Amino acid sequence: MAGTPVQVTGTVLTTRRVDAYHALTVVAPGIAERFRPGHFVSVAVGGAYTSMVTRRALSVHDVKSDYGGTVELVFTVRGRGTAWLAERRARDTLDLVGPLGRPFPLPRDPAHCVLVGAEYGSAVLFPLADALLARGCRVDFVLGGAGAERVFGAMRARRIAETTTLTTEDGSLGLRGKVTDALPSVIADTRADAVYACGPMETLRAVTAVGMEFDIPVQVAVEEQMGCGIGVCMTCVIPVIGDDGATRMVRACAEGPVFRGERVRFEDVGTIPFDALGAPGGGARHVS
Amino acid sequence: MSVDMRTFLAHVELANPITTAAGCAASGRELAQFFDLHRLGALTTRSITMAPRAGRPTPRMAETPSGMLNAVGLQGPGIDAFLERELPWLAQRGIKTIVSIGGGTVAEYSELARRLADAPGVTALEVNLSCPNMEDRGRVFAREGSAAAEVIASVRSIMRYDVPVVAKLAPDVADIVAVARACVDAGADALSMINNPLGMAIDTEALRPSLAAVTGGLSGPAILPLAVRCVWQVHAALPGVPLIGIGGVMTGRDAFQLVLAGACAVGVGTALFHDPYACLRIERELEDLLRARGFQRLADAVGLAHRPPGSAPRHLLVDTEESAP
Ligand SMILES: Cc1cc2nc3c(=O)[nH]c(=O)nc-3n(C[C@H](O)[C@H](O)[C@H](O)COP(=O)(O)OP(=O)(O)OC[C@H]3O[C@@H](n4cnc5c(N)ncnc54)[C@H](O)[C@@H]3O)c2cc1C
Ligand SMILES: Cc1cc2nc3c(=O)[nH]c(=O)nc-3n(C[C@H](O)[C@H](O)[C@H](O)COP(=O)(O)O)c2cc1C
Ligand code: FES
């Protein structure tokens, strides 16, 4: 079944720096063939005798069928685990589990899609763009970051998209400001039918707000702290409104990471909203 | 030569000693994506509560040296949804299931037991005693022998005789043997040890506690010695009581330590986050270690480290070649 995750020992094929980011291409056959845009993988870090017991979630930036199937991961060094990953070299092995999560839903008919990426969040949008183009969709990119070196994938976006709009907060590349400052005019100019976005929660909240103003659907890929990535530890929950109108604390790894933007209660992330199913006082009794 | 890995939890036979730890395998479906759950000795569910619970705010997790802190807060859909959707899924597949329950009052535990008493597919009932007792100023049941015993007695009186009741104990108590004895006297057929000790981490960037709930339960390799000590002490005091050893088991060797200390079954928690196949790997590694040391049966290794210094291991005293029929 497509999407059923597997665990594989992958071999690093190449490592490179892409602007401010690290990119690793890993031979990971079982994962590459099951992959769909939006999926992520989890990587064990630190080696066999590591003191780091949780895996690191990373989006899949690219898959290729070379070498039996490779996946490319793009990441920024945040803590000890990603620092260890940045030191991997060709021929090192990596323990990967994937593909994980729910991928981006694709429009049934050719549509005009705007893809919005902030920082390394852009990485996950490229396989999505390929899938949309293959379905005859029009693709336009809005990519941003704090500075020029933190805008990921500008060249590739220019190559494949109808238009590419770049933003930086320091004005070193493209328009000065955030992706959401540029988004309304891109939606208007392209007469977009849908928006796809990946980046920090704050960006996703703002992109969703813009999409709602234009009354077009927004699909967001969220990032929440993850312990297992496979849906068993319950640490990655965010408040999401279900089809029945009820808010539930749902797992970003198993029910997500892709959600419809207007269903995510961004302003309540990091809390248990009082009206969430099973919230203290909200129907259920609080026992701890 | 293969090692006989069967074990008994009270009178219930498990094909092998490895079970998932409560709260670390949800209700099974997620792990079933990776392997056939029949290969587990048993699956332990997350702790089921009466009402649906949304749990604690995020961040709920912080990685710590050789471990992690969690403050999930028993998030789950409640007993009704469990009986409707989760337990039947396991029961239909014939998966040996230890159902864990959690409550805030003795009445709540009894009610959970009542609801589970007639449900098909309950191999054993594990009573998570690490919940705060709402009727006793939030004091955790497991911290007090008498409070723990009250819960166990009430649950034992309700559950069918053929379903063992397992009391799950917390390590951060003054005298774990006293709590264990109180639970056994109250009718516990087996004990699970250990639940998470309480810990805390501070985010040095944000200059605030790392967890939204401030404190959380510590798990992973960091607590293995704590688990070994607890299992050792309780097995020494109550040698006839079946113990499920839990805490920081990442490898077969870790499981072997708990077995030698007195556990007849071993729970695997945090290791599952690192490796979804951890239970299968640990079972295989444990079997290999036993075989390499000449054991024919897991049962012969249970509590073996308690033998006086200088004495030969029990299993090597009998000449097994000769005595075999
Ligand atoms: C679905 C998803 C996709 C992601 N894709 C990418 C990507 O393509 N590129 C990239 O650079 N980063 C990505 N991240 C973020 C990445 O997982 C974290 O930066 C990384 O886990 C930090 O690990 P660390 O050891 O450096 O930090 P530490 O702070 O030492 O990590 C400690 C623990 O917290 C977890 N953790 C900390 N921050 C995060 C976070 N933001 N998200 C999830 N878990 C976290 C770690 O996984 C680890 O278990 C993604 C996160 C998610 C949830
Ligand atoms: C995320 C998480 C959730 C847990 N939930 C429960 C639970 O619902 N009930 C329970 O009795 N123990 C729960 N535990 C404790 C484990 O069952 C186990 O006793 C403990 O984590 C030690 O084992 P480990 O080091 O192998 O994880 C939980 C532990 C973790 C890490
Ligand atoms: S990361 Fe464990 S449930 Fe989502």
Side-chain angles (χ1 to χ4, degrees):
Chain A
M1 198 182 92
T4 305
V6 291
Q7 183 173 35
V8 301
T9 303
T11 304
V12 177
L13 198 61
T14 59
T15 66
R16 57 197 173 97
R17 293 298 301 260
V18 186
D19 305 320
Y21 304 103
H22 299 262
L24 283 179
T25 308
V26 188
V27 184
I31 295 177
E33 70 213 30
R34 289 174 168 80
F35 167 83
R36 283 196 249 139
H39 276 144
F40 67 98
V41 296
S42 73
V43 190
V45 293
Y49 300 103
T50 184
S51 70
M52 293 183 264
V53 297
T54 58
R55 303 175 75 90
R56 271 55 180 172
L58 295 174
S59 301
V60 175
H61 166 54
D62 229 344
V63 295
K64 288 207 178 71
S65 51
D66 322 6
Y67 303 95
T70 59
V71 296
E72 185 164 35
L73 312 173
V74 172
F75 61 94
T76 187
V77 171
R78 178 169 313 183
R80 291 184 305 156
T82 44
W84 180 87
L85 270 182
E87 288 163 13
R88 294 311 93 200
R89 294 293 168 260
R91 288 191 293 280
D92 286 347
T93 55
L94 276 185
D95 170 358
L96 305 179
V97 173
L100 297 169
R102 289 190 194 225
F104 288 109
L106 302 176
R108 229 164 276 130
D109 305 311
H112 290 191
C113 302
V114 179
L115 277 48
V116 185
E119 308 258 314
Y120 60 79
S122 310
V124 72
L125 299 175
F126 289 91
L128 171 68
D130 291 341
L132 291 170
L133 290 168
R135 293 194 166 208
C137 294
R138 171 184 164 143
V139 170
D140 296 88
F141 272 103
V142 182
L143 304 178
E149 76 296 340
R150 301 198 66 85
V151 178
F152 179 82
M155 296 256 275
R156 185 165 165 199
R158 284 206 179 97
R159 229 172 28 243
I160 61 175
E162 203 75 24
T163 69
T164 297
T165 309
L166 306 175
T167 67
T168 50
E169 276 157 54
D170 64 3
S172 54
L173 180 70
L175 308 169
R176 181 188 295 271
K178 299 186 170 174
V179 282
T180 38
D181 298 328
L183 184 59
S185 63
V186 175
I187 293 178
D189 293 349
T190 63
R191 289 199 218 98
D193 302 304
V195 176
Y196 291 88
C198 185
M201 283 291 184
E202 190 46 41
T203 305
L204 301 181
R205 188 190 62 76
V207 170
T208 300
V210 173
M212 284 167 84
E213 256 169 55
F214 283 87
D215 199 24
I216 56 173
V218 181
Q219 299 285 347
V220 298
V222 304
E223 190 183 307
E224 181 52 79
Q225 209 190 23
M226 291 187 179
C228 71
I230 61 169
V232 292
C233 75
M234 305 301 291
T235 61
C236 64
V237 297
I238 58 171
V240 173
I241 303 165
D243 289 336
D244 57 358
T247 296
R248 291 181 183 76
M249 300 308 295
V250 307
R251 297 164 300 182
C253 67
E255 278 89 14
V258 176
F259 294 100
R260 280 192 58 161
E262 65 271 30
R263 293 290 180 85
V264 179
R265 291 176 59 170
F266 289 107
E267 63 288 356
D268 295 322
V269 167
T271 72
I272 306 291
F274 73 93
D275 55 344
L277 194 75
R285 211 144 31 112
H286 191 50
V287 296
S288 72
Chain B
M1 187 192 77
S2 72
V3 182
D4 181 353
M5 295 296 278
R6 286 175 301 173
T7 195
F8 281 91
L9 205 54
H11 53 274
V12 170
E13 185 180 301
L14 305 180
N16 74 65
I18 306 298
T19 163
T20 63
C24 300
S27 294
R29 284 184 219 225
E30 293 79 4
L31 285 186
Q33 298 181 99
F34 294 94
F35 65 90
D36 180 0
L37 299 181
H38 289 100
R39 296 175 67 187
L40 294 169
L43 179 119
T44 308
T45 68
R46 59 176 152 209
S47 291
I48 310 300
T49 54
M50 274 311 286
R53 285 174 57 84
R56 298 296 206 138
T58 54
R60 289 177 169 187
M61 189 270 288
E63 196 176 62
T64 56
S66 294
M68 60 176 272
L69 294 165
N70 86 82
V72 172
L74 298 191
Q75 182 178 347
I79 184 80
D80 290 336
F82 177 72
L83 289 172
E84 218 169 280
R85 292 197 295 272
E86 299 183 354
L87 186 59
W89 187 89
L90 292 157
Q92 278 155 18
R93 285 161 184 77
I95 294 155
K96 287 250 160 63
T97 303
I98 302 175
V99 178
S100 168
I101 56 170
T105 60
V106 176
E108 214 170 333
Y109 281 104
S110 324
E111 186 53 28
L112 285 160
R114 215 180 314 281
R115 301 291 302 278
L116 287 160
D118 302 319
V122 184
T123 304
L125 189 73
E126 184 175 271
V127 185
N128 176 1
L129 293 166
S130 297
C131 303
N133 180 346
M134 292 193 304
E135 283 155 356
D136 187 14
R137 289 161 286 129
R139 284 241 288 264
V140 174
F141 288 100
R143 301 250 168 86
E144 191 126 32
S146 58
E150 208 186 330
V151 172
I152 295 300
S154 124
V155 167
R156 181 61 284 177
S157 70
I158 291 160
M159 277 320 275
R160 293 200 324 248
Y161 264 108
D162 55 337
V163 178
V165 169
V166 187
K168 184 163 181 186
L169 307 186
D172 28 13
V173 293
D175 184 355
I176 193 157
V177 172
V179 181
R181 190 170 276 128
C183 289
V184 171
D185 289 345
D189 303 284
L191 303 171
S192 265
M193 285 183 293
I194 53 177
N195 212 320
N196 305 121
L198 212 52
M200 183 172 169
I202 293 176
D203 182 333
T204 52
E205 294 298 321
L207 315 180
R208 274 197 318 249
S210 300
L211 298 175
V214 181
T215 59
L218 182 61
S219 66
I223 68 167
L224 175 68
L226 199 48
V228 174
R229 184 267 291 175
C230 290
V231 169
W232 173 278
Q233 288 180 332
V234 172
H235 182 76
L238 305 163
V241 178
L243 306 179
I244 307 178
I246 309 170
V249 175
M250 303 293 276
T251 67
R253 194 176 296 274
D254 303 337
F256 195 28
Q257 281 202 53
L258 287 166
V259 168
L260 291 169
C264 64
V266 173
V268 175
T270 301
L272 289 166
F273 307 162
H274 190 80
D275 172 7
Y277 296 91
C279 288
L280 303 188
R281 176 177 52 76
I282 289 165
E283 206 259 330
R284 195 177 59 238
E285 290 170 356
L286 175 62
E287 188 177 341
D288 288 347
L289 289 169
L290 287 165
R291 185 185 304 109
R293 283 156 187 71
F295 289 92
Q296 295 189 333
R297 310 185 318 151
L298 166 84
D300 293 332
V302 174
L304 194 67
H306 288 264
R307 73 183 190 283
S311 64
R314 271 199 303 276
H315 76 290
L316 296 179
L317 291 176
V318 230
D319 188 350
T320 42
E321 289 298 323
E322 301 261 337
S323 60

